[in-house]
Every structure is written in structure tokens, then in C-alpha cells.
Amino acid sequence: MSSIRTKKTSNNNGSTSSSDGQRTTTIRNSIDATSLAAWMVRQPALTDLFFNSNVGPHDNKSQLEDHLDIRQFGFGQSNPTYLLTIKSETRSDLGHMNNAAIQLVLRRKPNKVAHPTSHALHREYRVLESLTRYNQQLVESGEESNFDKSVPIPHPYAYCKDVSVIGAEFYIMEYVKGRIFVDPRMPSMISQEERVEAYRDAIRVLANIHNAPWWSIGLEKHGGRADRKNGAKNDPTYVERQLQRLLQVASKQSELIRSTGKHQDMEQVEQSLHQMAQKLHRHASDCPNGFGLLHGDYKIDNLIFHPTKPKVIAVLDWELSTMGDGYCDLANLCMMYFMPAIEKGWGIAGFGDMNLKGTGIPTRDQVVSNYCKNSQYHYQSLKQKQLPPLSPTASTSMTIRPANYDEAKAWAGFYLSFLFFKNCVIVHGVAQRASSGVASSAMAHRVAKLLPEMIRMTWKVLDEYPPPIDYQGKDDNNVGVSKL
């Protein structure tokens, strides 16, 4: 993940600081630096960055390689992510560069992928490109002066589909200097007021994502579901489709785990995942099923905050982005209210038993309420003025249904349950990669051991926060019998 690299520190209460999300380690997933350097000097966007001109340094591959330092970020469980530093002493070798060293971020697919649609870096890169153009469009139109609709992201520079370069597809993007809070309590923020503003801005940015006019910014085919404007009557809902796909991913992950011979208790895990999916599926056809651009994994540790201000300056990790129901992203953010504190070591940090009063951290109900207010604000603004499309074939007549507080509150438990199930599949994937020796995070083996705990937590949320519909007449199909 991209951010400022600082020394790891600890707070008086033993929790980790914002620097932990930026910590790098030596390379755990190897990269061929020679091949990478040869590819980099052939990319116009990167050579422009190096030289401030359109002349590519085709004969400077060796100089770039000699002064290219590669470190791997320690945080993040999915795609291996690296910090590339082109040391300042190469300026005289490579051309007219700035006085400071250039730093970039490289994200690559893991060597082994459980499902063809997993680790969709091409999707992530396409979203970054489209949102970059959208943000620029807002600036040029003057729209951002009314109220900030922009989606802050790192600038994408170049994508490589050729797996022969470093062994997997990858892309290079901007290195954004700031703070990543792996602990949602944000202990290093100095005041209650700062946390109030930081969370307010995080919720604002989430609403901005969901209300981006995807139909006019080049995302008409994003996620393969752009034809389902708001869902035809007989079409499966977004959650229904996701449940089917997640079970396919989990099945393939289990197959890969069994091939390693490290599959203790895997049958019980698989059984629980299928039972949870069946229970969720019975309600999924009746959920609100909104439609818009989704981030796919929106949470505090996927945001970069300004180095000194309580403002989001970049949203990271768009590999799960698609078109679908915005309440899923909202629920993903709200999982922190149910997760143990970071000291527990679950990999997904929450507030634990913390008393939020006086901390500046909003309650879960306040998060939902503020999100809906921002969504309504977007809706009113969009009705007043439509931005011109970036594509000549794009529509200018689309609208996005605004979030409704009563609806969001009533269905909050269902979406939370679904997101907990989804994260069980994600942790299951971490276990698969750890067993195969291709895990991207330094903590992968520790996180993988938490799968039974995640399954227990999912059942707890399913039982305690049912959807707002009486399903007594529906056949349970023996769902819920086996709980780890």
C-alpha cells in the first residue's frame, strides 16, 4: 500500500500507530529487478515522470536497476505490494529529475490464483484511470467548488499484462505520502475533534464513490453488470450473485489447500461456509439491491489520510471494485464495531469493548445516518446538473437511487452478516496462500489461523441481527446446524 514510510511506534495503551500501515520489509515475494527496470524505461508515463519529457531512457536500464531499491509492504493480505525507490544519485544518470528521490508503488498478482476473477488488478487499474479522469473533469467543470464530489486516489502510471516480466501481471501507481491507520481507533490523532473530522471525511468519500456517475466516466462495462441499471425484476440481486461467486472461490481455495496436505478441519470449514451462504441466500432476493460503483473493501486501513489533517487523500485497494449494492461497502466499514481490538491480532481490527463516548469516533448508527445524508446531498446535486460524458456513447440521463436511512438501518444486520461471510472467504484465501507459501503479508500465517474465529463471529451476527422480514414459512434446508 502507498503512503509515507515511518518508523514503527507504539502508544502508551499498547496499540499500534498509523505508521504500521506504511511499514515495509525485505522482499518476501521475489521480483526480477533487471526485467522490471527494462520494462519501466519503456513506459511513456514513467519516462515522462523521470525526465519531464517524452524521450524514453531506452539505454538507461542498467542505471535504473543499479539505483532501484525495492521493499515490500508488510500490511495487506491479498496482492503483494512493493515500494519502489529510485535513489536520488541516479538523477545525473537518468536525466532532469527533481531533487528528491522518486518513489512509486507496484502491485502484482500472487503467483497462485484460486479463481480466474480473483485478484483483479486490471479492474483495479481501470477504476483508477476512470476516477482520475472524473476528478479532472470535476476540476475543469468547477463542480468541486460547490461541494467536493471527488474520489481521492493514487495516480496510475502503467499496467503490465506480460507475466514474463516479473512472473505475474502488475501495475505501477503514485506513492501518496500520508497516514494509514491500521487501528480504527486512530490512537495517534491528538484530539477528539480530529477523529470526528476524519470519520466524517471517510464517510463523505464513501458516498462520493457510490454516487460517481459511472455511466459517463468510462465504467459502463465495469464488473460486467452495467446493463443491470437497477436490476431487472427477475434478475438475481447483487448479493445473490456474490454468494454464488464466493462459494466458487472458497471451493477452489479448499481444493488448493488439500493439494498441500495441510487441510486439517477443512471439511468442517467448508460445511459452515455453505450453510452460512444458504441462510443468507434465503433473504438476498428481498434486499434493497441498490446499484452504483462499489469499492469492494472499504475500511479505515484502506484509506490514506493527510500527514497532518483529518482528511482522506487516497483510497487504496480497488481489486474488488464492481457495480452493485452500496450498502455492502457501508457494512464493510461498519464491521469494525464488531471486531476485537488490534491487540487481539485478527488482522481486521475493530473497537473491541472500547467505550466510544468522548473519543470522537461515531456510533454505528451515526455512520449510517451520515452516509445517507451525504447520499441525499449527491442526489439533489446530480438532479440539478449533469456532467458531460467522457465517452461519446455514454448516457447522460442516468440517476442513482439515494440511500434511505430507515431502509439502511432495517437491513444493516443482513448486510453485516453477508460481509462477515465474505471476509470468512477472504481469510480462507489467506489460509490457502499461506499453505502454498505464496502469502503476500508478513502476518499471513497468523491471520489464517483466525478462520474458525471469523466463522463463529459470522454465525453470531447472523443470529443476533436478522433481516426485517419474517421467513418462518421458508425451508431452512438444515441451515445453521454446524457452527464452529
Side-chain angles (χ1 to χ4, degrees), residues 71-371:
R71 300 274 295 174
Q72 188 166 355
F73 286 96
F75 189 69
Q77 303 296 338
S78 183
N79 293 303
T81 305
Y82 305 82
L83 176 64
L84 310 181
T85 302
I86 302 171
K87 299 175 184 177
S88 57
E89 56 263 39
T90 61
R91 291 195 305 274
S92 60
D93 298 330
L94 291 181
H96 304 291
M97 294 171 65
N98 297 325
N99 290 331
I102 288 180
Q103 290 184 303
L104 302 165
V105 172
L106 182 151
R107 278 171 64 77
R108 59 169 286 179
K109 288 187 177 183
N111 292 332
K112 295 182 181 179
V113 177
H115 193 275
T117 60
S118 300
H119 309 279
L121 284 189
H122 62 287
R123 176 183 299 178
E124 176 168 299
Y125 191 79
R126 181 172 63 242
V127 173
L128 293 177
E129 284 188 311
S130 294
L131 290 175
T132 296
R133 293 193 297 266
Y134 171 56
N135 290 338
Q136 184 59 38
Q137 184 187 43
L138 288 172
V139 171
E140 293 172 354
S141 68
E143 278 286 292
E144 87 289 349
S145 61
N146 183 20
F147 100 88
D148 189 357
K149 301 177 182 177
S150 65
V151 180
I153 50 170
H155 182 81
Y157 285 112
Y159 191 91
C160 180
K161 294 181 179 178
D162 184 356
V163 298
S164 69
V165 176
I166 63 170
E169 291 185 33
F170 69 95
Y171 74 88
I172 292 178
M173 67 179 174
E174 176 188 8
Y175 171 78
V176 179
K177 296 182 178 180
R179 297 174 290 174
I180 296 177
F181 294 96
V182 299
D183 186 343
R185 297 173 296 185
M186 301 181 178
S188 62
M189 280 201 169
I190 60 176
S191 69
Q192 171 183 342
E193 291 73 24
E194 270 197 313
R195 292 191 195 93
V196 169
E197 291 303 317
Y199 270 96
R200 184 174 294 161
D201 205 52
I203 296 166
R204 176 190 65 83
V205 170
L206 178 60
N208 284 5
I209 293 170
H210 295 165
N211 288 276
W214 53 268
W215 59 90
S216 66
I217 62 173
L219 292 175
E220 299 92 333
K221 297 180 180 179
H222 182 54
R225 295 290 174 178
D227 57 319
R228 303 176 186 271
K229 304 297 190 288
N230 283 300
K233 184 175 181 181
N234 296 321
D235 281 342
T237 65
Y238 169 75
V239 174
E240 286 180 297
R241 298 193 304 272
Q242 282 288 295
L243 286 169
Q244 181 179 12
R245 178 184 174 277
L246 287 167
L247 282 177
Q248 291 172 349
V249 170
S251 177
K252 182 62 176 179
Q253 288 171 173
S254 294
E255 180 183 327
L256 291 172
I257 292 174
R258 282 192 290 270
S259 70
T260 67
K262 306 172 184 177
H263 54 275
Q264 297 89 341
D265 302 322
M266 195 49 56
E267 287 187 8
Q268 193 175 9
V269 167
E270 287 184 68
Q271 183 184 26
S272 286
L273 290 176
H274 278 271
Q275 289 172 344
M276 286 187 289
Q278 286 175 346
K279 188 168 185 178
L280 286 165
H281 196 273
R282 293 201 311 278
H283 311 299
S285 61
D286 297 299
C287 68
N289 196 36
F291 190 85
L293 176 63
L294 297 190
H295 176 270
D297 191 21
Y298 197 86
K299 51 197 173 102
I300 295 301
D301 62 32
N302 274 334
L303 307 178
I304 301 180
F305 287 84
H306 187 278
T308 59
K309 299 176 183 179
K311 182 176 178 60
V312 178
I313 58 174
V315 182
L316 305 176
D317 205 0
W318 291 82
E319 69 167 289
L320 298 177
S321 177
T322 188
M323 305 300 301
D325 192 335
Y327 288 149
C328 291
D329 272 350
L330 181 62
N332 199 78
L333 179 62
C334 289
M335 284 180 64
M336 59 191 173
Y337 292 95
F338 297 85
M339 301 301 291
I342 196 167
E343 293 85 0
K344 191 83 171 177
W346 277 39
I348 307 171
F351 300 125
D353 297 326
M354 180 183 184
N355 183 354
L356 299 182
K357 187 175 181 179
T359 65
I361 298 170
T363 64
R364 183 164 66 96
D365 186 67
Q366 287 172 329
V367 169
V368 174
S369 176
N370 289 343
Y371 167 79

